[in-house]
Amino acid sequence: MRHRIYLDHAATTPLRPEAKAAMADAWERWANPSSQHAEGRAARAALERAREAIRQTLGWDGELIFTGGATEAAAIALDGSARKAIVSNVEHPAVPGAVDDARVVPVAEDGLVSIEALDRALEDRPGAMVAIQQVNSETGVIQPLEGLAGRIAARGGLLFADCAQGAGKLPLPPADLIAISAHKFGGPPGIGALLLRDFGMIAPRGQGQEQGYRPGTENLPAILGFAAALSAGAQSGRMAELAGLRADLDDAVRKAGGVVICDAGPRLPTIASYRMPGASAAVQLMRFDLAGIALSAGSACASGTLKRSPVMAAIGLAPEAADEVIRVSFGWTTTAEEVAVFADAWAALARTTEARAA
């Protein structure tokens, strides 16, 4: 029996062996990093070494708060700000959910934020906290944050960037606050970080660990796994290879009569959404799953229920077309053979769908 093919890495990617080894070692000698005895001090030293290693790997010279993931990082950043909020209409649900009375900025058909709409929002809300993701988890579209950051700063605003999908794959954007999650690049689930230029940007939550922003005993084994996975990914150098595989898959889908979503915009090499006309996403997922291929429809937070994707609506896709879109995402374990097998399976299902419609 052929091994199953996992192409849902944007939801979560398998634990890297380097992360597993780092965590196993930590469990053997773990102690509470807040304890004052020798074991606790050793744990604290290991935690701070990991913090510094992550900052260096990411090229981040600001502060770093460990969190339970990108969702919690977003909540800490947005809950802790007294500024009015501006958010794009393709953000992770945790972002608009963490603010009240947010001004929403739309994206165009290519998935990119409307600069004109952003400028108008900044005129109405100078000094706002502006939340614009680095990479969309469904389309893979990369927002031009390098250019947008200057516009936001010129109006006295702060830029919060959800970099859950881009961290470890792309350079960090010039944002003031950044959320990342380890399980997106081969680290363990349940650990992430909020990067911020200065602690003074947001209010702490009270007494406790992580400078008072995240009280509770730090999960040292997960933190060490986080650092190890990030380092291993940075050294792998596979992004150019994966970009080639994604380009080949895009071509195969088009030749089979499929539609590549947001192919006019800049996209992360590891994420793509495809529409198969005449075949619902639910049917596609079932057929591919039976064929031994794991995919998703929409983002991980919504795909379990197969609700209609707000992102597809935001880019102007009609409801019936949006219901025919699935997401394919690559990771550190993805091979050229796996992508080729999926491309053949896609073409076969597309031919069957077309024949039934004829």
Side-chain angles (χ1 to χ4, degrees):
M1 180 179 177
R2 189 178 68 223
H3 79 285
R4 286 186 59 83
I5 295 173
Y6 184 77
L7 296 176
D8 194 21
H9 293 266
T12 193
T13 200
L15 189 68
R16 284 183 175 271
E18 296 88 349
K20 185 176 182 180
M23 294 175 70
D25 180 63
W27 284 120
E28 290 298 321
R29 55 188 178 86
W30 181 81
N32 191 324
S34 297
S35 296
Q36 298 304 307
H37 46 61
E39 290 82 357
R41 295 195 303 273
R44 170 58 58 182
L47 186 151
E48 295 305 331
R49 285 195 300 271
R51 194 192 308 271
E52 183 58 25
I54 293 168
R55 291 173 66 251
Q56 289 188 9
T57 302
L58 292 172
W60 182 254
D61 59 4
E63 307 294 346
L64 187 155
I65 299 168
F66 286 115
T67 68
T71 295
E72 185 187 11
I76 293 174
L78 299 172
D79 285 348
S81 174
R83 297 168 180 254
K84 292 184 177 180
I86 297 172
V87 304
S88 85
N89 66 344
V90 290
E91 297 299 307
H92 184 282
V95 171
V99 295
D100 296 321
D101 188 33
R103 174 73 175 266
V104 179
V105 175
V107 299
E109 291 183 359
D110 59 5
L112 296 176
V113 165
S114 167
I115 294 177
E116 293 79 9
L118 175 61
D119 284 344
R120 288 194 298 270
L122 287 167
E123 288 177 5
D124 292 341
R125 295 188 170 188
M129 176 73 78
V130 182
I132 302 177
Q133 60 193 191
Q134 182 186 32
V135 176
N136 185 264
S137 63
E138 296 182 43
T139 64
V141 168
I142 304 170
Q143 297 293 341
L145 297 184
E146 288 72 16
L148 299 181
R151 308 179 86 91
I152 294 167
R155 289 285 182 173
L158 296 179
L159 172 59
F160 167 74
D162 172 3
C163 295
Q165 297 295 343
K169 306 177 184 75
L170 298 174
L172 292 180
D176 301 292
L177 303 99
I178 292 174
I180 62 177
S181 188
H183 75 104
K184 303 294 188 181
F185 49 74
I191 189 68
L194 173 64
L195 313 180
L196 62 166
R197 295 290 178 192
D198 185 88
F199 284 128
M201 291 179 170
I202 57 174
R205 291 185 164 188
Q207 301 297 315
Q209 291 76 6
E210 295 302 294
Q211 303 293 323
Y213 288 93
R214 211 246 180 174
T217 301
E218 294 98 335
N219 186 345
L220 180 61
I223 288 170
L224 298 187
F226 177 172
L230 186 63
S231 176
Q235 297 172 27
S236 68
R238 289 202 67 203
M239 290 305 291
E241 176 195 356
L242 294 175
L245 293 180
R246 213 281 311 283
D248 291 343
L249 180 56
D250 286 353
D251 290 341
V253 166
R254 292 189 190 98
K255 290 176 182 177
V259 179
V260 180
I261 303 299
C262 289
D263 59 346
R267 292 180 295 144
L268 186 72
T270 58
I271 298 177
S273 280
Y274 302 115
R275 178 191 169 206
M276 184 183 293
S280 71
V283 168
Q284 292 180 63
L285 294 184
M286 179 184 66
R287 294 291 180 84
F288 288 127
D289 192 38
L290 290 173
I293 303 171
L295 306 166
S296 67
S299 66
C301 57
S303 61
T305 59
L306 288 179
K307 292 181 179 179
R308 184 166 290 150
S309 166
V311 172
M312 295 300 122
I315 62 173
L317 213 59
E320 59 273 15
D323 290 343
E324 297 171 340
V325 175
I326 63 168
R327 181 184 68 181
V328 179
S329 50
F330 302 163
W332 68 273
T333 63
T334 303
T335 66
E337 180 185 6
E338 289 176 334
V339 176
V341 169
F342 170 68
D344 289 343
W346 169 279
L349 181 55
R351 287 194 298 271
T352 299
T353 301
E354 184 178 7
R356 288 178 177 173

